[in-house]
Every structure is written in C-alpha cells, then in structure tokens.
Amino acid sequence: MQQRHSRADFPIRGIISDLDGVAYRDDHPIPASVQAFQAWQEQGVPYAFVTNNSTKSAAQFAAKLSGMGIPATAAQVFNTISAVTYLLQQRWPRGTPVFAIGEQPLLEALELSGFRLTETDADVVILGFDSRLTYAKLRTAIRAALAGATVVATNPDVLTPVLDGYDPCVGILTAAVSAAVPTAVPIVVGKPDPFMIKQALGHLGTSKQETVMIGDQIKTDIVAGQAAGLRAVLLASDVPFNAVTGVVPDLVITSLLDLVATPAEETGAFR
Ligand SMILES: [Mg+2]
C-alpha cells in the first residue's frame, strides 16, 4: 500500500489508540499491544485512548487496562459516555426526559448530568451498547422516535470484536430505528466524528503532525483520525467489510510493536 509520508518527516511523539480490537478483544489483552504501551510508558511517549464503547466509565476502562498490564488512568480515556452527555448538555436543558438503551455507566452518567430517565415521554432517545437488549427496549425507542424524539447514537459500529468473533453493536439499533422511522436521522457522537480524538489530543498536548491515531476499523478509527488531522494507523485485523471507498490508512501494521522505537532511535516513526 502506498504511504503518504516518509519516515523521517514524522516522528511519533504521541499516541491515540482505540480499545476494542487494538488493546484487547473482550476481556483478553492483545499481548503485543500490552508490550507496546508498556514501552511507550517507559519511553515517556504520552498516549490516550478513544473508544466508541459506552459500557464502562473512563475509570472502569482505566482499571481494565491496568489489570491487563497497560498503565492507564481515567484521564487518559475518552469514551462515548462523556461525548453523549456533552452533546446533550450543549443542546437540551437540565431535566429533559431521555430514554436510553445502554448499560449502567451510561444511564448513571445521564442522570448525573441532569437528565431524567423515562420510558414514556422522552424528548431524546439514546442508543448505546446494551448486552441486555430486549424487544421492549427497542419498542420504547421506536415509539419515542415516532412521537418525534431526537435519536442520538453513541457510535455507528455494527460489529464489535470479541474473543471468538464479532458481536452485534449499536449500528444495528440505529438501523432498526431508522428502518421503522425514516425521518428520525440519528446523531452519531462517536468515531468517525473526530470529537473524542480532539479531546484526547488536547490531553496529550502533542502536535497533530507528531501524533498518530491507531484503530482496527476503517470507517470509524481511520476516518476519525484523518478528520482530526492526524495520521491514522490501521492495525490489520479480520474485521468484516472493513473498507470505505476513498479512505486509505496512512500506515497498516500487524502489531503495535511495529510503531515502538528501537533503542537506536530517538522516537518511533513510520517504517
Ligand atoms: Mg476497535
């Protein structure tokens, strides 16, 4: 694959990384990725994580990473829970009735942000990952959308990687609601929107030119990384239907260790 940049031009001084499929699959760490983050920690290369996953708080993701041997604090994790609550606080007043499909950390964050959870009179429907998805929840979301509620999705992913393959993700919920209510065009807050990557870049304090975005999904990670002005690195994987017309990763790697500087180098770089 042709690459747009030469190695010498762009040292790597900051890392922004996806989680699912890059750091781990489900509860199983990817060993080379653990080693890479440990190396970056030792070398003083700052890193942060951006995930479309809304099933854990930033602190819970940091604890999961730390438990796998990847040094991480909550401040380094940017997820769609905070992206959703930020959007809602920008556009709707406190007390706005909201119906959310999602797991406890998302529901708690919505309440803490001042929104009222309801199943009967929602002005906003939020679609997030929910391993306890039921027909009743889908019905409630669709009835609210039919009544004119705004639909907000945490992310567009249709598949999320787990140890033995892929599980259906939030994209199937937005597809279902859109099929039933074509006028309810969902607002999608996660990647490919570059919002979380810009947040992470602000946290790192590194320049766009010297920071990379690493992910395993082209339509979210690579598009978002490039939209934020970063070089986007694809960790090659078995993600199905992983292509977007006109979108080419700046680099394709098979291991995060491919980006780690050797002792002879000052910084990591494209090879
Ligand atoms: Mg991923």
Side-chain angles (χ1 to χ4, degrees):
M1 183 176 291
Q2 186 180 3
Q3 281 148 23
R4 301 192 308 195
H5 307 298
S6 71
R7 170 182 177 180
D9 289 344
F10 295 96
I12 297 172
R13 299 187 196 276
I15 306 278
I16 299 175
S17 177
D18 178 40
L19 287 177
D20 288 285
V22 176
Y24 48 69
R25 289 185 80 109
D26 210 351
D27 289 329
H28 300 264
I30 296 171
S33 300
V34 174
Q35 293 172 36
F37 284 108
Q38 289 175 347
W40 286 321
Q41 172 84 355
E42 287 172 14
Q43 295 170 356
V45 177
Y47 54 82
F49 302 95
V50 290
T51 178
N52 274 354
N53 191 320
S54 66
T55 62
K56 289 182 174 61
S57 67
Q60 289 170 327
F61 278 120
K64 177 174 179 173
L65 288 164
S66 299
M68 292 175 170
I70 298 175
T73 64
Q76 287 169 282
V77 180
F78 299 86
N79 67 7
T80 48
I81 292 179
S82 54
V84 164
T85 55
Y86 178 83
L87 173 80
L88 262 62
Q89 288 174 325
Q90 295 296 307
R91 297 203 190 177
W92 285 274
R94 288 179 69 86
T96 295
V98 168
F99 173 69
I101 293 179
E103 302 202 348
Q104 204 56 35
L106 175 65
L107 304 182
E108 285 174 8
L110 289 167
E111 284 195 306
L112 277 172
S113 303
F115 297 97
R116 175 168 65 81
L117 299 181
T118 178
E119 295 184 357
T120 56
D121 61 341
D123 287 342
V124 183
V125 171
I126 295 165
L127 304 176
F129 187 89
D130 185 350
S131 60
R132 293 189 178 85
L133 175 67
T134 62
Y135 180 82
K137 292 179 184 178
L138 202 49
R139 178 177 56 201
T140 302
I142 284 172
R143 286 187 177 182
L146 281 169
T150 302
V151 179
V152 175
T154 55
N155 61 298
D157 304 67
V158 289
L159 296 171
T160 190
V162 292
L163 188 62
D164 58 351
Y166 289 86
D167 281 352
C169 198
V170 177
I172 64 151
L173 298 179
T174 51
V177 172
S178 295
V181 192
T183 53
V185 180
I187 299 170
V188 181
V189 302
K191 298 169 285 183
D193 191 290
F195 175 74
M196 292 188 295
I197 294 174
K198 291 175 180 173
Q199 285 184 306
L201 191 64
H203 170 76
L204 294 182
T206 50
S207 73
K208 292 178 183 176
Q209 293 75 19
E210 295 183 329
T211 308
V212 294
M213 168 66 202
I214 307 169
D216 64 326
Q217 303 224 20
I218 290 177
K219 74 175 182 181
T220 51
D221 302 310
I222 301 305
V223 171
Q226 293 180 344
L230 274 53
R231 290 164 295 161
V233 179
L234 181 72
L235 177 61
S237 69
D238 57 359
V239 175
F241 314 111
N242 197 17
V244 176
T245 303
V247 179
V248 179
D250 294 276
L251 184 69
V252 180
I253 58 175
T254 55
S255 162
L256 259 57
L257 290 170
D258 294 347
L259 291 179
V260 175
T262 63
E265 297 171 326
E266 182 194 352
T267 59
F270 279 21
R271 294 179 173 84

